[in-house]
Structures are given as structure tokens and as C-alpha cells.
């Protein structure tokens, strides 16, 4: 509108003024002026057929921002008015823009890029329009490239980059208001022909540059741009034919694109000169860290080549062999730069992930061995550098990233035992395993914290609770190292055993010395903890590695003993003396080497017993009042390990294995003295930890997790309840007396869960009756006694009453957590009685948000754990209880605002819990294990809608 | 809907403190930090070195002066937790000499009081009484 009303000079003046406003510092113009200026540009871009005005602007205006806007206006108008425009005028517009840029080498970069973008959009829009020929652009570009003038070559590169972004139909593509199918079709056509042409042009340029001896700065910058362009082409996300609409969007958003070109690329990419060129280029520029990133990325993309481009397996083998040769020639005998580590590990990781095992094994044997040797060497060396990075506390952990990638590659490589003969990787595994251990142990056995300037100390560091535990932070590394340890079990298990046993002895000695010092001069107090901390850190890592080596962490599944471990134990069982093995296991208080015949024991059991020895030293130190010298971290590691171990090994189900090791079945099988002993031992540990370490939340939490593991399977629970300690624990917890009431509420909940699970073990009716009388009934009785007193309303805010109520609600959450398919009937009935009473409590405690939240939480847990098992009438009962709860809640909260001294986001905890409750109720719709043969169950949506009605006004 | 009359109170009871293991304290609970009872607004744990013992870092706001107190102590440490006696009042029924807290909250309560909002909640702690929280029931207007 505006362009039509005003002549070109006025338009230019207006736009230039608006640009001045927009570019002015905030102090010079106010918001209104700025908005007005923005509006001028927006309506300018929407004006009808602005081509003549825009051309005029481009030719006369000196203001960069106005030039930029003119280019944008052209781009938008061309697409908008495409069908109305003469084909010839589109063609001339494109030529005008290109010539314009060519003639003005000093244009601002952002203006130039915008004009080229407009050109790219025109080419793209035209590519589906047969009547217009846009192919000539490639001819023009190749002429520009051959000019030899760096500035012109840079421009050519910019044109190609713009085309590439525009056709990639990714987030880089401009929004021109066309359908996704249009973008998809354009992309398919482009990737068959034009993209390849761009790649060829790029390759030519790179070839040219790689031949030159000396590159000046300007040429080197052109080189870099073309290398980046090559990377962009090789990272192209090739759109397969016939991909549905929904998949296109998903496909385009995928990260880490692997190179999977169409068949038409065969000649281009399988030409070994292309691959060689990229290796040559990398060798030439590897010291320039920016360019090296691109060249390594190009190689990593080439390493991921797969798909229809390979006509047969033979060609894939040839390609891979050639690639590995090139790689080895490039990295062997050089000192790897820091900036190369991640790139090189990506190349290797892609090769191992993408090429099938049969192809990998089909390359010449010698080549494959050198490849694996090189991988081993790199892994160990990156591991050492990563450890150094950690000591120096570097921000950018390149070696750590590279090490992670290589360890992951190992995991992929060794998990396949069909294509490699047994023992093929053993020696390599030993090396990687040893180097991992070495990096994590203190001198003299290891190199932990060792830098060029001596030993760095990290002991005084403040560690917040948010810091992830090593076992989680490094779980991927540990999983790989554990796997390698299994492959080389013959070496690794005895190694871990001897390292641990030696450290246990030292720890014991060290603690004794401390005790004597304390006895001699109780006041002096200052003990040097350096030695102890070193031992703790060593033991910490050894336990983590042992845990990952001996067992897998599975959620919900029954974890099996890893086959490598089983085989290893069976293989040696003929040399093993079972009695001595049991003796080693059953005497954690004695030094292993003090037991006669200790070398004829099962190595796996001996490794376990080494950790029991650590645990025993800890227990003795506690008894000797040295708790303050112990490491809670080590305590945590011990119970974490025991939980992981017990899940897999304790009372092994022999039906799950083809063959079972005799030492295992004798020591931890069903109906063995060994398993009864070990359960008693573990239970004792749990009870001791809960009282000694109640102030260490994480440790207490790992400890109750161990307890849950002991009772969650019926077979183990049967043995647990035979221990007197178990009954004592149950009684003690029911009394709510110290030290168990010091435990944090999540720990208390889990403890309750364990106690309930234990109640479903096999017992005679009388015992069972007695058990529930000890565990659940006190809860009910105490609760009813409190809420049924006449003056409960008056006393409800008294500290003891509140504590009682809170403890009961916490316990109810724990009981709900203990739900399993075979106990849901009993637990549901038990909990339902409480739920009704809880609604009454909502009324009493309506002004006490903590309590209200806890009550809702009980409902959340019950719904979460039980709804999927409930039949029609019980589900209905639960829905109704929830509905009443929400009605009471909304009655009490309607129109209420809360102003608190410490109002924070926790204020909305109640609403979050209610949403969680509704989500849990709805989950019945898709997870339902109840017996629903007869009637369809009540529709949870309906109930949820009913439930939310009272809330509508609240939110 | 009828206005909710919110007047619940009990007998005087025993004010005072009882010792609690530091790790058992909770945010929004009360603790004695260097003198006056404080409401715990922030609680976090840390340790010195990977093998150190947990220390609890507490930030509490003194409920009388609305002043911030901080403390850091081993998690096994015993701290004094004040016995809370909580009384809910309805505005209009509040005794005149009731001390309003300083700072924002105090002004806020004054404002609400004038507008005759309902339900003022009082905590009596360690023989002191202090308004700590206001509930406003807009529907009663």
C-alpha cells in the first residue's frame, strides 16, 4: 500500500529514517518510536509487487539495514506472487540479484547472505516449475570458482551454502509458506542431482588447495569455507523415497545424521580418491584446530556410509578396508592433538556402529588386527588424558568425551560373539581394563591425581548433594569396563580380588593405628586422613568396577548371572575346594590368605568375599567407636554392591540356566547353609547401617534398598523372616523409637515397604498372624486412638499428635509402594479403611499445607501402585474416595489465597500432586491387569472428569 | 456458602524445645538457630571431599524479627526444635496486643486486617506469640 502511495525516493527516505530509529541506542528513542519503525518495515515487506522499488533501493540506498530489508521483501514477494509473475521476469530478477552481489564485493556480510538467500529461494521455488530453468546457476557458480580469485570463490561458496540450507528442508530453511510435501519433493530432486554437483565442485576446490604448497591467509580462509561446505554436504540427511508426512518431520529433526545417500551417488562416493582426498586434507591442516574439526567430521561422515550405495557386500568390504588403511596411515606415528581426540573417536565409533560384523571380519586379517590394536592404544591413551583433565578440573573435557565414545565402541564390538572366535579380544580387554584401574588407583599401583607437577589433591573440595554419584555419572564407562572385565575374567577377577584384599588389610591396619593413637592421647585429635582417604577412594573404584563386572543392573527384569562369569566359574570348578571356598566366604573377619588352601577357592566367590571383608572392617570400626573416621561413600558403595550382587546371585534360580557352577549353587543356592548365613549377615549390616548412618541420607537410602532386594522375592523373604533380627527390626520400627525415627521420610517409607513385603513370605498361619499384629496393627491402632479421641479437634495441632499423624501417613505411602500382584487384595482393603479416615483429616488439617499434601500423596501412591490391578467394584471405590478427597479439598480452598513468609514454588505442591493423582487414575485406561472378562471396567476418563469438576473454579 | 469460622485453640501445653538430629529436620519445620526460633526455609547437605561426612546447611528466618539466620553443622548434630503451639484466629477476634511481624508480612497483615479479611493464623512458640501466616478467604467478603 505504502509503496504504491509514495514515489521511490520518498519510500527510501522513510525506510532510512525508520532504520535509523531501529539502530539507535535505547536511550535515544522510546518504545513507541521503535514499534512504529518496525511497523514501517513490516508493511513494506507486505506491499504488493515491490520489485521495482526494491531494485531501486538496492541500487541507490547506502543504509545496510534497508538493503537487507529490500532483499527480504523481494524474497517474500516472489514466493507470494509466483503464479502471477512472468517467468522471464523471475529469471531476470535472479540474474539481477546475483550480478548485484558479484559487482559489490564490499557489501556487508549479512546483506550479501540475505540476497543470496533470496536467490536460493527463487531457485527452490522454481525447481518444481518445469517452465523455468534454474539449472544455469551451477554453471555460473563453476565459472566463479574457476576464476581463481579468492573473493569470487568465497562468493561462490556462499551461493552454494545458501542453496544447501534452503533445500535441506531442516530448521535452516526459510519459511515460505509452502506445504511439507513441497519441501520434501524439492529435497528429493535436489539430492539426486544438484547436491551431487555441489559436492563435485567442492571436491575440485579441495583438490586444488590440497595440492598447493603454501597457502596465504586469504586462500586458507577460502579453503576452510569449502571444507565446511563439504561437511555440510556429507552431513546431508538424505530423504528416502515414500516417507509419510509424519515421518518427514521426525526424520528432519534427527540429530547425528549418518551418511545414507541414494544409489545415484555410487560412483561419486565409492571412488577411493574422494576418501583419500579427505585424509590428505586432514593431514595437511590438522594443526589448525578449527579446520581439523571440519575435516574430521567429513571423515566421520564417510565412516558412517551405508545403504543402497553399496551394490553388494564385496564393495562394502573394499570400502571399509580402504578407509581403515587411510585412517591408520593418518593416525599411526603421530602425536594426536587435543582437538583431534573427539573427531577421531567419532570416526572409529561410526565404523564400528555402522559396518556389520561380517563385513568387519571380511577385511584382511592383518588390517583388522592393526585396527583393533590401534583402538586399544587410543582407548588407553585417551583414558589417561581424560583422568588428567579431571585432575586439572578443565571445563572442556575433550578426552573424556572421546574416551566415552571409544568405550562405547568396545561395548558394541565385543557384545557379538558369533563373528569373532572366543578369546579374540581378551588381550585387548586386559589392556583397557588395566589402564582403567590404573587411572583410578593411587600411586604406587595407579596414577590417580598424578600430574606433571606431582600429586594434585582434591580432598578439600566441597561437594554438594546435587553432585551425582560416580556410579551414575560414569555408569556408561563402568558398564563398558565391566563388560571388558567379563571377557577377560581370567585376568580381571583375580586382579580385583588381590587389589581389594591388599587394601582391606591396609585399611584395617590404618584404622587400628588411629585407634591406638586415640587411646594414647584422646585430646590431640588431629589425625592425618590423607592415607585413609586414598584407601577409601581406591576401594570405592574397585567396588564400582566389581559391581559392574559381576552383575547387570536391571529394572523389573530378573537379572541373570553373566554367562562369561558362569563359564569362568564352571571352568575352574574342578580345581576348587568347596569347603575352603565356603570357609573364605563365611569368615569375613579373617584375612583370606590366613586360611589354609586359600588358593584353591572359587575366584568369583573370593571376589565377593573380598568385599564382605571391606564391609567387616567397616563394621568393626563402628564397634570400636571409629565411625567418624569411616567414609560414608564407601559404606554406600558396599551396600550398593551387595544389593546388585544379591539380586543376581543370591538363591539362584537354577531353572534359568543351562548349566550352573557347583560352587555357586553350593554357596548361594536354595536350601543351603551359605545362603542362610549370608542373608543373616546382610540383614545385620542393614540394621547396623540404619542406626549408625541415619544421618547420611544417601547411605541410609541405599541400605533400605538392599533390604527391599532381600524381601521382594519370595524365596529370599522366606529366609529373611527366619532371622530373629528381622522381627526385632519390625517391632522397633512399629514403636517409632530412635534411631529408626531419625531416618529421613523417603527412607522410612521404603523401610515400611520392605516390612510389608516381608509379611508375604511363607509362614504358618499363626506366625503370619503374629507378624501382622506386630507390623500393621500397631499402625492402625495408634492412628485410630489418636483420631478418635474426643478432643482431637483441639489437640490436632499439638506436636506429638502431628508427629503421629505424619508418621502414619508416611507409613501408608510405604505400604502402598509394597503392592505386588499377589498382595494387592489384602493391601487394598487395609489401605481403603485409612483413605476414608484421611478424608476426615483433610478437614481437620485444612490450614496445615504440609499435612494436606501428605494426605494427597497417600492417594497418589495408592492410585499409582494399585489401580492397574483393581477390578470393577474396587476401582469404583477408589475413584469415589478420590472424588470425595477432591471435593473436600476444593471446598476448603475455594477462593483462598495464601500469603506466606516463605512463599515459594512449593506453594503449588498440592496442585501438582492432584494432577499426578489424576494421571495415575487415568493410567487404568492403558495399563490394566485386572480380571475384566465379565464386564468392561468403569471408564477412568469419566471418573476423572467428575473428579476435576470441583477444581474448575480453583485453577 | 456459609463463612468458615476458623477458631481452633487448645490449652496452654508445654512450650519449650526438644533435641532433634540435624538430618531429621525438614524445610518449613522450626529450629532454634542462634537464639530465636526460626522457620527453616532452606536446607541442603554437602560434604568436604568425596569421603567426608554429611554437613547440613540451614537457612532459617527468625519468626519474630523476620531476620535470616544461617548455620552449618554435622548431620549427626543434635539441634533444638521448638515445640510449636499453633492457634488459628479469625480476624476481629485477635487480641489487640498481638505482635505483628516486621517487614512485608506485617504490613500485609495490617492491610488485610483493615479490609476485614478472615482467618488469621497465629503460632505460639516458646512462650511467644507470633503471626506467621495469613489465610484470606475472599469468598467471605
Amino acid at each position: 500500500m505504502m509503496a504504491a502511495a509514495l514515489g521511490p525516493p520518498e519510500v527510501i527516505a522513510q525506510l532510512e529514517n525508520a532504520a535509523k530509529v531501529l539502530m539507535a541506542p535505547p536511550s535515544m528513542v522510546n518504545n513507541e518510536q521503535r514499534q512504529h519503525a518496525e511497523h514501517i518495515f513490516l508493511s513494506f515487506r507486505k506491499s504488493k509487487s515491490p520489485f521495482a522499488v526494491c531494485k531501486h533501493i538496492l541500487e541507490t540506498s547506502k543504509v545496510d539495514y534497508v538493503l537487507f530489508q529490500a532483499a527480504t521483501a523481494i524474497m517474500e514477494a516472489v514466493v507470494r506472487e509466483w503464479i502471477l509473475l512472468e517467468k522471464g521476469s523471475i529469471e531476470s530478477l535472479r540474474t539481477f540479484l546475483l550480478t548485484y552481489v558479484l559487482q559489490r564485493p564490499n557489501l556487508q556480510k549479512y546483506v550479501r547472505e540475505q540476497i543470496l538467500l533470496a536467490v536460493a529461494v527463487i531457485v527452490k521455488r522454481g525447481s518444481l516449475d518445469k517452465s523455468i530453468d534454474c539449472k544455469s546457476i551451477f554453471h555460473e557458480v563453476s565459472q566463479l570458482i574457476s576464476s581463481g580469485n579468492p573473493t569470487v570463490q568465497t562468493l561462490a561458496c556462499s551461493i552454494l551454502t545458501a542453496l544447501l540450507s534452503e533445500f535441506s528442508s531442516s530448521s535452516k530453511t526459510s519459511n515460505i509458506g509452502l506445504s511439507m510435501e513441497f519441501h520434501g519433493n524439492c529435497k528429493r530432486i535436489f539430492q539426486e542431482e544438484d547436491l551431487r554437483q555441489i559436492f563435485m565442485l567442492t571436491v575440485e576446490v579441495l583438490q586444488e588447495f590440497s595440492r598447493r604448497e603454501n597457502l596465504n591467509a586469504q586462500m586458507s580462509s577460502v579453503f576452510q569455507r569449502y571444507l565446511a561446505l563439504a561437511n555440510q554436504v556429507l552431513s546431508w540427511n538424505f530423504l528416502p523415497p515414500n516417507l509419510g508426512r509424519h515421518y518427514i518431520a521426525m526424520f528432519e529433526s534427527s540429530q547425528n545424521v549418518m551418511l545414507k545417500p541414494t544409489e545415484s551417488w555410487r560412483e561419486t562416493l565409492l571412488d577411493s580418491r574422494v576418501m583419500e582426498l579427505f585424509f590428505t586434507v586432514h593431514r595437511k591442516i590438522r594443526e589448525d584446530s578449527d579446520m581439523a574439526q571440519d575435516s574430521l567430521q567429513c571423515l566421520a561422515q564417510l565412516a558412517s556410509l551405508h545403504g543402497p550405495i553399496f551394490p553388494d557386500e564385496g564393495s562394502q568390504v573394499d570400502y571399509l578396508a580402504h578407509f581403515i588403511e587411510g585412517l591408520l596411515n593418518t593416525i599411526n606415528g603421530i602425536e594426536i592433538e587435543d582437538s583431534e581426540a573427539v573427531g577421531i573417536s567419532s570416526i572409529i565409533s561410526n565404523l564400528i556402529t555402522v559396518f556389520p560384523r561380517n563385513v568387519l571380519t571380511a577385511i584382511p586379517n592383518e588390517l583388522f588386527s592393526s585396527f583393533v590394536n590401534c583402538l586399544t592404544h587410543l582407548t588407553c591413551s585417551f583414558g589417561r588424558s581424560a583422568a588428567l583433565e579431571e585432575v586439572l578440573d578443565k571445563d572442556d573435557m575433550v578426552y573424556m568425551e572421546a574416551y566415552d565414545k571409544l568405550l562405547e565402541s568396545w561395548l558394541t564390538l565385543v557384545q557379538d560373539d558369533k563373528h569373532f572366535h572366543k578369546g579374540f579380544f581378551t588381550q585387548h580387554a586386559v589392556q583397557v581394563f588395566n589402564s582403567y584401574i590404573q587411572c583410578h588407583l593411587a600411586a604406587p599401583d595407579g596414577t590417580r591425581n598424578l600430574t606433571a607437577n606431582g600429586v594434585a589433591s582434591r580432598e578439600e573440595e566441597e561437594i554438594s548433594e546435587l553432585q551425582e554419584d560416580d556410579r551414575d555419572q560414569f555408569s556408561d564407562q563402568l558398564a563398558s569396563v565391566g563388560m571388558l572385565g567379563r571377557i577377560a575374567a581370567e585376568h580381571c577377577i583375580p586382579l580385583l580380588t588381590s587389589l581389594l584384599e591388599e587394601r582391606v588389610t591396609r585399611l584395617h591396619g590404618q584404622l587400628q593405628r588411629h585407634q591406638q593413637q586415640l587411646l594414647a592421647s584422646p585430646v590431640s585429635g588431629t589425625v592425618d586422613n590423607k592415607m585413609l582417604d586414598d584407601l577409601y577412594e581406591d576401594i570405592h573404584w574397585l567396588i564400582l568396577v566389581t559391581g559392574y563386572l559381576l552383575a547387570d543392573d536391571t529394572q523389573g527384569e530378573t537379572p541373570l548371572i553373566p554367562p562369561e562369569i558362569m563359564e569362568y566359574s564352571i571352568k575352574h570348578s574342578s580345581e576348587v575346594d568347596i569347603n575352603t571356598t565356603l570357609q573364605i566366604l563365611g569368615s569375613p573377619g579373617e584375612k583370606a590368605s590366613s586360611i589354609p588352601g586359600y588358593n584353591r577357592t572359587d575366584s568369583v566367590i573370593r571376589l565377593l568375599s573380598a568385599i564382605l571383608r571391606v564391609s567387616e572392617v567397616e563394621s568393626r570400626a563402628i564397634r570400636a567407636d571409629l565411625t567418624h573416621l569411616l567414609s560414608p561413600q564407601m559404606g554406600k558403595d558396599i551396600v550398593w554392591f551387595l544389593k546388585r550382587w544379591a539380586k543376581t546371585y543370591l538363591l539362584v534360580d537354577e531353572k534359568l540356566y543351562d548349566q550352573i557352577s557347583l560352587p555357586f549353587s553350593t554357596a548361594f543356592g536354595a536350601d543351603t547353609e551359605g545362603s542362610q548365613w549370608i542373608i543373616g549377615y546382610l540383614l545385620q549390616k542393614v540394621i547396623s547401617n540404619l542406626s549408625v548412618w541415619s544421618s547420611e541420607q544417601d547411605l541410609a537410602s541405599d541400605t533400605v534398598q538392599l533390604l527391599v532386594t532381600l524381601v521382594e522375592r519370595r524365596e529370599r523373604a522366606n529366609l529373611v523372616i527366619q532371622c530373629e533380627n528381622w522381627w526385632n527390626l519390625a517391632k522397633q520400627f512399629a514403636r517409632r523409637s530412635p534411631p529408626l525415627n531419625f531416618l529421613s521420610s523417603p527412607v522410612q517409607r521404603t523401610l515400611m515397604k520392605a516390612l510389608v513385603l516381608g509379611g508375604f513370605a511363607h509362614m504358618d498361619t499363626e506366625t503370619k498372624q503374629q507378624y501382622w499384629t506386630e507390623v500393621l496393627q500397631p499402625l492402625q491402632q495408634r492412628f485410630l486412638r489418636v483420631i478418635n479421641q474426643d478432643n482431637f479437634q483441639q489437640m490436632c495441632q499439638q506436636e506429638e499428635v502431628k508427629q503421629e499423624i505424619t508418621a502414619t501417613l508416611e507409613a501408608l505411602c510405604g505400604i502402598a509402594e509394597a503392592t505386588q500382584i499377589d498382595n494387592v487384595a489384602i493391601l487394598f482393603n487395609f489401605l481403603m479403611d485409612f483413605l476414608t479416615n484421611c478424608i476426615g483429616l483433610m478437614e481437620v488439617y485444612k490450614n496445615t499445607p504440609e499435612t494436606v499434601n501428605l494426605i494427597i500423596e497417600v492417594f497418589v501412591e495408592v492410585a499409582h501402585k494399585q489401580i492397574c490391578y483393581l477390578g470393577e467394584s474396587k476401582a469404583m471405590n477408589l475413584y469415589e474416595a478420590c472424588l470425595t478427597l477432591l471435593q473436600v479439598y476444593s471446598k476448603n480452598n475455594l477462593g483462598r489465597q495464601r500469603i506466606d513468609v516463605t512463599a515459594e514454588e512449593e506453594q503449588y505442591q498440592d496442585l501438582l500432586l492432584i494432577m499426578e493423582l489424576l494421571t495415575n487414575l487415568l493410567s487404568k485406561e492403558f495399563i490394566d491387569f485386572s480380571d475384566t472378562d465379565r464386564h468392561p471396567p468403569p471408564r477412568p476418563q469419566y471418573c476423572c472428569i467428575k473428579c476435576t469438576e470441583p477444581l474448575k473454579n480453583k485453577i | 456458602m456459609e463463612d468458615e469460622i476458623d477458631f481452633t485453640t487448645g490449652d496452654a501445653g508445654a512450650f519449650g524445645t526438644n533435641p532433634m538430629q540435624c538430618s531429621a529436620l525438614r524445610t518449613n519445620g522450626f529450629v532454634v538457630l542462634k537464639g530465636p526460633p526460626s522457620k527453616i526455609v532452606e536446607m541442603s547437605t554437602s560434604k568436604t571431599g568425596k569421603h567426608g561426612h554429611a554437613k547440613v546447611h540451614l537457612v532459617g528466618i527468625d519468626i519474630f524479627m523476620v531476620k535470616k539466620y544461617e548455620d552449618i553443622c554435622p548431620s549427626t548434630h543434635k539441634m533444638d526444635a521448638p515445640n510449636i503451639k499453633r492457634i488459628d484466629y479469625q480476624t476481629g477476634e485477635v487480641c489487640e496486643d498481638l505482635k505483628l511481624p516486621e517487614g512485608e508480612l506485617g504490613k500485609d497483615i495490617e492491610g488485610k486486617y483493615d479490609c476485614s479479611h478472615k482467618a488469621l493464623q497465629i503460632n505460639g512458640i516458646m512462650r511467644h506469640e507470633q503471626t506467621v501466616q495469613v489465610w484470606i478467604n475472599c469468598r467471605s467478603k
Side-chain angles (χ1 to χ4, degrees), chain A residues 494-511:
Chain A
L495 175 71
L496 287 174
T497 310
S498 72
L499 290 171
L500 267 168
E501 283 177 354
E502 192 234 343
R503 275 156 186 79
V504 174
T505 312
R506 266 164 53 195
L507 178 63
H508 192 206
Q510 197 65 28
L511 287 169

Side-chain angles (χ1 to χ4, degrees), chain A residues 486 652 735 782 787 801 828-829 880:
Chain A
R486 288 175 198 174
V652 281
R735 277 200 304 272
R782 297 171 66 136
I787 62 168
V801 176
F828 179 76
N829 289 340
E880 269 157 20

Side-chain angles (χ1 to χ4, degrees), chain A residues 305-319:
Chain A
L305 186 66
H306 65 295
I309 188 163
F310 291 116
D312 49 36
E313 206 180 290
S315 62
Q316 211 172 356
V317 173
D318 285 346
Y319 181 86

